[in-house]
């Protein structure tokens, strides 16, 4: 059923293949709310939702969706319950916060933490501040305190707008989980795609079969680890046996090396397989963002070049292992102005094996599209760090699939098969007679090769990840006992705001190498001398000292831009918040003004040479994806009427196709972007910076979690600096954990 309403409300609902899309309706002037009638009157409930919207507690989209539910019910002769109106708005609100659904039991048990309403960040203007103050006593927890789970279930079960999914309704109730229909369908498609692949018989299941023996020989050549248990080898074997597999591990655990070896081993098996007649697998590599794709492309080329292909069975050649990485949107075939893709069930990808890196960033919408586009027999391998932040949009697919990865829970049959193929015994602690089918497809890499044992970045990340950030670790970073980690304002428990913000800006300019041990001099990493840490002065100096002219070849300008873009990655400020003095908006403006005062940029507003920008939305016409970073250059390519060269501004972006090329785009064509001296930790996922500075605010917020702190720390490759508005916020943040409402893991267990 489709429905379009071209009234002043401008609300559209499509309940067919692409259901439940709503656009916000304009909000009338807020009416007074009588608390005694909030859940007895539709008018009073709607008035409250309007006030929450004006105070920026919920979105216009949330109110619009609730209104639509009300109107659809009334048109079908039903008088909707005010509770339905409230739950519809809150379900939509939760999707906006990254949840796939809202768990009614958790909502009623602790509405404040479940909804994070009112929000921690202050309202932006006087109107919303006064409205927020007016609503101080009208919080969701106060309303829901008088509601029971039975009340919710009775109201929902009696509504024509709600079903168990068997009917085409905008809301779906599954046990205690309430979904927008579209997100319920995404979860269904992902679960079906995983279970269908796990159920497919594997030619490698018999360890004595010719295919399994070929795999064993290939793995024996590819892995020569002296470790008692080579977890990379175990991961390869496990992933080879399943049509769906997950390989997870922290930074430096060798995910890229593992998957390259896996692909070589699978091509060796294909080369020896009579069923394939020597035909190799068609393999594609993808990542959620252009930045993540570029990083994988850089690392995978070197890993492929080190493969001992001449020693493998099956006549594996260099061209059999792909090195080109694309974004998922490009792979699936993005279509402008729609969430649909060119590749789908009716037009599947021509692929036998698909590898997706940085899978923690993939939301349920995009993951469902991946399963739709994959042929039924295609193998899907997900790579990622289960402990990183979940995707910006709704869902935490990788995190849910890896909930039991730490203890593995391999069934005894799986453990015996792995031992037969790899020659390595599976530790008893990882064997579970009650292991679930999904457990048999998840492998965790457990040894880090990037950081030395005494690395501060490694120890700090581990302490945060295990919620073991004790006084000993804090003392070490406070007293700069690590070569690679500093806490710049650790001497003040709660420093002065202006002094700290100025310190951040000074740090952003030079990177404060003097604060590191030996001023950052003398460090050797992987047998290479490491330059001291730098700030933004580094890339700006490189950008201005180029020696190019109007007569220079475009290739020379491309090479120069590539160098500057690489130099920009040598330092990055990461923030937890968007708004306020501690957020991206405030710090970008302040850093720009400090750079202007140092005469490193010509202006601090608008477009200027040196301005770094972050794309904040997909632009398929320009080939730019959300998360792409570009830098503005002044280039002498325009011509005057007399034919003389004239300087103009162009923004240089990496080509995004793994070729290392540069795209030059006029600023006037760029619509969705922001300055990026500072970026949120969420936006930094899939990126890596030589020197990362994590800025934490002076108050605790629901967004400050151990996953956010861990992700911020692990974006640092060689140097990490911390600046806090309140020292206690660091410890308190580690005590908070991301828990996104979803039913994916339960669906996989039930079946």
């Amino acid at each position: 059923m489709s429905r379009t309403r071209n009234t002043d409300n401008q609300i559209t609902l499509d309940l067919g293949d692409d259901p439940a899309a709503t656009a916000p309706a304009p909000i009338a002037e807020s009416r007074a709310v009588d608390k005694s009638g909030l859940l007895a009157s539709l008018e009073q409930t709607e008035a409250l939702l309007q006030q929450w919207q004006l105070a920026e507690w919920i979105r216009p989209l949330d109110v619009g969706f609730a209104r639509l539910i009300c109107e659809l019910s009334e048109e079908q002769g039903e008088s909707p319950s005010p509770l339905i109106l409230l739950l519809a708005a809150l379900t939509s609100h939760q999707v906006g916060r990254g949840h796939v659904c809202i768990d009614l039991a958790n909502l009623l048990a602790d509405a404040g933490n479940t909804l994070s309403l009112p929000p921690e960040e202050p309202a932006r203007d006087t109107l919303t501040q006064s409205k927020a103050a007016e609503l101080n006593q009208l919080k969701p927890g106060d309303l829901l305190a008088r509601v029971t789970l039975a009340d919710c279930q009775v109201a929902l079960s009696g509504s024509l707008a709600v079903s168990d999914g068997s009917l085409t309704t905008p809301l779906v109730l599954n046990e205690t989980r309430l979904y927008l229909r579209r997100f319920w369908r995404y979860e269904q498609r992902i679960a079906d795609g995983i279970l269908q692949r796990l159920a497919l018989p594997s030619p490698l299941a018999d360890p004595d079969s010719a295919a399994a023996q070929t795999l064993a020989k290939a793995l024996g050549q590819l892995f020569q680890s002296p470790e008692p248990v080579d977890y990379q080898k175990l991961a390869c074997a496990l992933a080879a046996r399943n049509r769906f597999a997950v390989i997870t591990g922290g930074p430096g655990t060798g995910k890229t090396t593992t998957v390259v070896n896996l692909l070589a081993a699978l091509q060796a098996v294909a080369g020896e397989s009579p069923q394939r007649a020597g035909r190799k697998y068609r393999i594609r590599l993808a990542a959620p963002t252009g930045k993540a794709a570029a990083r994988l492309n850089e690392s995978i080329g070197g890993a492929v070049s080190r493969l001992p292909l001449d020693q493998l069975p099956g006549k594996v050649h260099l061209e059999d292992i792909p090195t080109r990485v694309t974004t998922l949107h490009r792979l699936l075939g993005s279509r402008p102005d729609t969430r649909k893709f060119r590749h789908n069930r009716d037009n599947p990808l021509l692929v036998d094996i698909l590898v997706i890196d940085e899978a923690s960033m993939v939301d349920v919408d995009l993951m469902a599209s991946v399963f739709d586009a994959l042929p039924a027999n295609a193998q899907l391998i997900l790579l990622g760090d289960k402990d990183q932040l979940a995707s910006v949009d709704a869902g935490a697919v990788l995190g849910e699939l890896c909930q039991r990865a730490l203890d593995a829970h391999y069934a005894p049959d799986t453990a015996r098969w792995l031992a037969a193929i790899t020659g390595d015994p599976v530790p008893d602690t990882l064997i579970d007679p009650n292991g679930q089918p999904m457990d048999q497809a998840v492998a965790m890499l457990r040894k880090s090769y990037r950081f030395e044992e005494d690395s501060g970045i490694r120890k700090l990340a581990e302490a945060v990840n295990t919620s073991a950030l004790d006084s000993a670790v804090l003392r070490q970073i406070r007293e700069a006992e690590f070569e690679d980690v500093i806490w710049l304002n650790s001497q003040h428990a709660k420093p002065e705001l202006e002094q700290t913000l100025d310190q951040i800006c000074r740090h952003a300019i030079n990177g404060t190498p003097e604060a590191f041990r030996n001023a950052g001099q003398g460090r050797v990493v992987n047998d290479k001398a490491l330059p001291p840490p730098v700030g933004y002065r580094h890339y700006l100096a490189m950008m201005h000292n180029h020696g190019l002219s109007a007569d220079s070849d475009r290739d020379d300008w491309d090479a120069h831009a590539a160098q500057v873009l690489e130099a920009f990655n040598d330092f990055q400020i990461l923030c937890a918040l968007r708004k306020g003095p501690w957020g991206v908006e405030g710090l970008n403006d302040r850093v720009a003004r400090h750079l202007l005062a140092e005469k490193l940029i010509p202006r601090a507003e608008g477009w200027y040479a040196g301005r770094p920008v972050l794309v904040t939305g997909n632009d398929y016409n320009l080939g730019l994806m959300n998360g792409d970073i570009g830098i503005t250059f002044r280039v002498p390519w325009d011509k005057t009427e007399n034919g003389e060269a004239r300087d103009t501004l162009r923004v240089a972006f990496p080509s995004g196709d793994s070729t290392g090329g540069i795209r030059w785009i006029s600023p006037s064509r760029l619509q969705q972007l922001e300055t990026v001296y500072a970026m949120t930790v969420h936006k930094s996922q899939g990126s890596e910076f030589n020197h990362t500075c994590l800025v934490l605010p002076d108050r605790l917020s629901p967004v400050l979690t151990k996953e956010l702190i861990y992700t911020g720390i692990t974006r640092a490759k060689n140097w990490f600096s911390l600046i806090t508005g309140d020292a206690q916020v660091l410890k308190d943040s580690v005590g908070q954990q991301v828990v996104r409402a979803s039913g994916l893991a339960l669906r996989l267990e039930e079946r």
Side-chain angles (χ1 to χ4, degrees):
M1 177 180 74
S2 291
R3 178 185 189 80
T4 302
R5 182 185 307 279
N6 293 316
T7 66
D8 290 340
N9 287 343
Q10 293 295 307
I11 295 175
T12 301
L13 179 65
D14 175 8
L15 295 178
D17 290 336
D18 190 18
T22 62
I27 296 298
E29 184 176 348
S30 178
R31 293 166 285 173
V33 174
D34 174 14
K35 284 188 278 186
S36 63
L38 280 173
L39 293 178
S41 162
L42 282 174
E43 289 188 356
Q44 289 291 318
T45 304
E46 185 176 353
L48 177 68
L49 294 178
Q50 292 172 353
Q51 289 188 349
W52 284 355
Q53 178 194 323
L54 288 173
E56 297 183 358
W57 289 12
I58 61 177
R59 304 169 299 171
L61 187 66
D62 307 329
V63 179
F65 181 69
R67 276 183 170 168
L68 180 61
I69 295 296
C70 183
E71 292 176 13
L72 289 175
S73 299
E74 290 174 342
E75 288 181 5
Q76 296 182 60
E78 178 186 50
S79 177
S81 162
L83 184 56
I84 293 289
L85 199 69
L86 178 65
L87 293 176
L90 295 181
T91 302
S92 175
H93 166 265
Q94 289 298 83
V95 168
R97 294 183 58 240
H99 299 274
V100 178
C101 59
I102 189 168
D103 191 308
L104 298 176
N106 291 339
L107 173 68
L108 297 177
D110 190 352
N113 282 332
T114 300
L115 299 171
S116 294
L117 290 177
E120 290 292 321
E121 294 186 14
R124 285 179 291 183
D125 54 50
T126 304
L127 171 65
T128 53
Q129 286 178 19
S130 63
K131 186 59 63 178
E134 180 183 322
L135 296 175
N136 188 44
Q137 303 302 316
L138 299 176
K139 299 176 183 176
D142 298 328
L143 302 182
L144 295 170
R146 70 190 74 172
V147 177
T148 66
L149 182 59
D151 293 333
C152 292
Q153 291 173 324
V154 168
L156 292 167
S157 63
S159 172
L160 296 175
V162 186
S163 73
D164 62 358
S166 58
L167 301 176
T168 306
T169 54
L171 289 168
V172 174
L173 180 64
N174 182 264
E175 297 183 352
T176 63
R177 298 183 300 277
L178 184 61
Y179 295 82
L180 302 186
R181 180 177 180 81
R182 177 159 60 92
F183 290 89
W184 175 80
R185 293 181 74 249
Y186 291 156
E187 195 171 272
Q188 288 279 104
R189 282 149 56 187
I190 294 169
D192 289 344
I194 292 173
L195 291 168
Q196 176 258 326
R197 281 170 172 75
L198 292 180
L200 291 173
S202 170
L204 301 169
D206 179 2
D208 296 323
S209 67
Q213 289 301 305
T214 300
L215 175 65
K217 291 176 184 176
L219 294 179
Q221 293 295 333
L222 291 164
F223 293 96
Q224 306 287 335
S225 173
E227 300 287 334
V229 179
D230 188 338
Y231 287 103
Q232 291 186 2
K233 191 177 184 181
L234 286 178
C236 277
L238 195 74
R241 191 176 71 156
N242 295 287
R243 299 292 178 88
F244 174 80
V246 179
I247 300 175
T248 185
T253 52
K255 294 186 290 292
T256 301
T257 300
T258 300
V259 79
V260 166
N261 287 355
L262 168 62
L263 298 180
L266 287 171
Q267 294 293 39
V269 173
E272 298 276 294
S273 171
Q275 291 83 1
R276 296 194 61 83
R279 290 181 293 108
K280 300 298 194 294
Y281 290 114
R282 295 168 298 182
I283 302 172
R284 299 295 301 272
L285 307 175
T289 66
K291 192 75 173 178
R295 272 194 62 203
L296 179 59
N297 184 71
E298 291 170 3
S299 58
I300 208 164
V304 170
S305 67
R306 294 189 294 270
L307 288 172
L309 297 180
D310 57 336
Q311 301 174 34
L312 298 181
K315 298 180 181 179
V316 182
H317 303 289
L318 198 61
E319 59 268 22
D320 295 329
I321 314 298
T323 56
R324 182 179 176 182
V325 187
T326 186
T327 64
L328 276 173
H329 286 83
R330 291 189 180 98
L331 175 73
L332 297 175
S334 300
R335 296 167 58 185
D337 303 320
T338 176
R339 64 168 58 94
K340 295 182 179 180
F341 293 95
R342 184 165 53 87
H343 289 291
N344 50 40
R345 293 179 187 272
D346 299 324
N347 181 30
L349 293 162
L350 294 175
V351 63
D352 298 308
I353 301 172
L354 174 62
V355 177
I356 301 177
D357 192 25
E358 296 289 354
S360 63
M361 301 170 63
V362 183
D363 57 64
V364 290
D365 185 346
L366 188 54
M367 189 65 79
S369 297
V370 168
F371 278 103
D372 281 349
L374 277 179
N377 290 326
Q379 186 172 3
L380 177 61
I381 301 164
L382 303 182
L383 303 179
D385 186 344
K386 67 180 180 63
D387 298 313
Q388 280 190 31
L389 281 168
S391 57
V392 174
D393 293 317
V397 177
L398 186 75
E400 283 200 85
L401 297 179
C402 295
Q403 283 179 357
R404 292 158 56 91
L406 182 61
D407 296 322
H409 299 281
Y410 295 141
D413 286 346
T414 299
R416 285 190 291 270
W417 184 89
L418 286 170
I421 297 299
T422 66
D424 291 350
V426 177
D428 292 341
T429 55
L430 304 184
I431 301 175
D432 178 2
N434 298 314
Q436 301 168 4
M438 187 65 227
D439 297 329
Q440 318 312 306
V442 178
M444 180 174 171
L445 306 179
R446 300 166 189 267
K447 178 178 173 60
S448 177
Y449 299 91
R450 177 181 302 174
F451 302 116
E452 300 293 333
E453 289 291 336
D454 60 349
S455 163
I457 296 174
R458 174 177 179 167
K459 290 193 173 183
L460 184 57
E462 289 175 349
V464 168
N465 197 30
T466 58
S467 300
L469 190 61
D470 55 24
S471 57
V473 177
L474 291 173
R475 178 187 57 78
Q476 286 179 294
I477 61 172
R478 276 195 173 103
E479 298 179 8
E481 293 187 8
F482 298 115
E483 283 189 320
D484 52 351
V485 174
I486 57 170
W487 187 348
L488 275 175
N489 58 347
S490 62
Q491 68 274 19
H492 303 293
K494 193 162 186 176
E496 292 293 328
L497 174 63
E498 286 300 316
Q499 291 179 356
T500 303
L501 295 179
D502 284 343
Q503 183 179 37
I504 293 170
C505 294
R506 293 193 300 272
H507 184 55
I509 293 174
N510 294 315
T512 323
E514 65 275 9
F516 289 86
R517 187 190 298 179
N518 300 324
Q521 300 282 350
R523 280 192 67 198
V524 176
V525 176
N526 296 327
D527 299 324
K528 293 182 179 179
L530 191 68
V534 298
Y536 290 133
R537 183 189 297 274
H538 173 60
Y539 92 89
L540 288 167
M542 180 180 292
M543 188 187 73
H544 294 304
N545 299 325
H546 53 74
L548 299 174
S549 67
D551 297 326
S552 299
D553 291 337
R554 183 63 65 89
D555 288 346
D556 294 333
W557 280 99
D558 286 356
H560 172 58
Q563 289 178 333
V564 173
L565 284 163
E566 183 177 355
F568 182 74
N569 282 333
D570 283 336
F571 180 80
Q572 182 65 58
I573 296 174
L574 301 183
C575 302
L577 306 176
R578 286 203 53 80
K579 304 172 187 174
W582 298 101
V584 166
E585 294 176 3
L587 282 179
N588 271 321
D589 177 67
R590 189 177 284 260
V591 169
R593 285 189 277 113
H594 272 71
L595 291 171
L596 176 63
E598 292 286 322
K599 299 182 179 179
L600 293 171
I601 56 176
R603 54 187 298 182
E605 297 177 345
W607 286 102
Y608 54 85
R611 181 190 180 192
V613 293
L614 175 75
V615 176
T616 57
N618 295 336
D619 189 326
Y620 303 111
N621 294 322
L622 295 178
L624 295 175
M625 297 294 132
N626 189 358
D628 287 350
I629 290 179
I631 294 179
T632 312
F633 288 77
R634 184 168 294 279
V635 292
W637 296 342
D638 276 8
K639 301 291 184 181
T640 65
E641 293 181 359
N642 298 328
E644 297 178 353
R646 181 179 63 186
D647 285 352
T648 188
L649 294 177
R650 292 289 185 272
V651 185
F653 290 92
S655 61
D657 58 5
S658 305
T659 62
I662 296 293
R663 287 171 294 171
W664 298 90
I665 298 176
S666 172
S668 62
R669 301 185 65 193
L670 298 170
Q671 303 301 318
Q672 301 181 73
L673 53 79
E674 60 189 28
T675 303
V676 70
Y677 297 118
M679 72 167 68
T680 62
V681 175
H682 269 99
K683 288 288 187 182
S684 74
Q685 290 186 92
S687 300
E688 184 179 74
F689 308 100
N690 189 43
H691 180 189
T692 298
C693 173
L694 178 62
V695 173
L696 299 181
D698 57 357
R699 56 189 169 82
L700 193 62
S701 163
V703 304
L704 286 164
T705 61
K706 78 171 187 177
E707 290 86 356
L708 182 138
I709 305 298
Y710 171 83
T711 302
I713 294 167
T714 54
R715 297 312 88 205
K717 184 177 181 180
N718 290 308
W719 310 97
F720 176 76
S721 49
L722 176 68
I723 301 179
T724 56
D726 186 338
Q728 187 62 32
V729 167
L730 174 62
K731 290 192 69 175
D732 292 344
S733 299
V734 174
Q736 299 191 139
Q737 189 169 356
V738 172
V739 180
R740 285 194 168 178
S742 170
L744 178 60
L746 292 173
R747 291 184 195 279
L748 295 174
E749 289 177 17
E750 291 167 357
R751 303 187 204 180

